Amino acid sequence: PMVTRARAGIHKPNMNYAMTAFATAISSVPRSVRSAVKDPNWFAAMQREFDALQANKTWTLVPRPPGARIITGKWVFKHKMNPDGTLEHYKARWVVCGFNQRPGVDFGETFSPVVKPATIRTVLTLVATYDWPAHQLDVSNAFLHGNLQEQVYSQQPTGFVDPQCPNNVCLLSQSLYGLRQAPRAWFERFIGHVTMLGFV
């Protein structure tokens, strides 16, 4: 007889119903920052993201320059789930609205090479054929590690405005999710490091 997952004792929840099974224990995704800061789970996620941005020295608070365009931002909330459908953690990300950026002023080059799926399949075929070891690398908040060349100003994150300097703006030194040049900035930082290690 055919060996099915049920006969083998393998049971995986349907991801379409994963959220309903744990609805009582999980805080729903907030529709506004106001509701997020009232929920301890989401506010803690926002605090973690803000602390990470501060630790990474993503920006410097400066007085608003006359005539400078200030890019707005927003909080994006998401549940990160485990493979079995249980909650791994609450994820809050501060994302700037890159569609407000002006070409040649707020950003220059944006192109970043992307691997084609056919290349990945070819490499995995070689790995399987020759029984090579395979390793995967995931960089946490990769885009936040890109260095910016342009002068870009953004608003302070909503809910985390510095009370000492409420009218100041963020002069970005590292890229943020949502910036047009973020993929290229990260690629240049990454490629510079791996070539220094001897990769070609």
Side-chain angles (χ1 to χ4, degrees):
M2 182 188 305
V3 178
T4 62
R5 284 192 296 183
R7 286 183 179 155
I10 301 171
H11 300 283
K12 294 186 177 180
N14 187 325
M15 293 308 292
N16 293 329
Y17 304 105
M19 293 301 293
T20 58
F22 302 96
T24 54
I26 295 179
S27 299
S28 60
V29 175
R31 295 182 178 222
S32 68
V33 176
R34 185 176 295 176
S35 60
V37 296
K38 291 178 182 175
D39 186 309
N41 293 319
W42 288 113
F43 183 71
M46 293 168 71
Q47 187 68 59
R48 282 195 303 274
E49 172 79 350
F50 181 75
D51 290 344
L53 293 172
Q54 293 285 87
N56 199 37
K57 295 182 172 61
T58 308
W59 62 70
T60 306
L61 280 183
V62 297
R64 180 176 183 147
R69 174 174 290 198
I70 310 303
I71 299 172
T72 57
K74 66 176 184 175
W75 284 102
V76 177
F77 304 101
K78 185 179 180 181
H79 291 119
K80 298 288 280 187
M81 309 302 289
N82 292 308
D84 64 356
T86 58
L87 179 71
E88 181 184 337
H89 67 270
Y90 296 90
K91 177 68 179 174
R93 176 170 282 163
W94 176 247
V95 179
V96 291
C97 303
F99 53 80
N100 288 327
Q101 291 182 270
R102 297 164 296 179
V105 179
D106 301 313
F107 68 93
E109 294 291 325
T110 61
F111 176 75
S112 178
V114 179
V115 67
K116 293 182 178 179
T119 305
I120 296 174
R121 288 195 293 270
T122 302
V123 170
L124 291 178
T125 300
L126 290 170
V127 167
T129 303
Y130 294 104
D131 198 26
W132 290 340
H135 303 279
Q136 178 181 338
L137 170 70
D138 180 38
V139 178
S140 181
N141 293 329
F143 280 12
L144 303 185
H145 300 291
N147 296 320
L148 293 183
Q149 308 301 322
E150 304 84 5
Q151 279 201 330
V152 181
Y153 299 93
S154 76
Q155 70 174 93
Q156 296 187 50
T158 311
F160 294 87
V161 174
D162 189 329
Q164 307 295 325
C165 316
N167 297 318
N168 281 18
V169 294
C170 302
L171 171 59
L172 301 181
S173 52
Q174 307 283 333
S175 62
L176 281 172
Y177 283 90
L179 284 180
R180 297 283 188 89
Q181 64 266 53
R184 182 178 180 84
W186 159 243
F187 175 76
E188 289 180 342
R189 177 85 184 267
F190 176 75
I191 210 71
H193 184 71
V194 295
T195 50
M196 185 185 69
L197 295 176
F199 287 89
V200 178

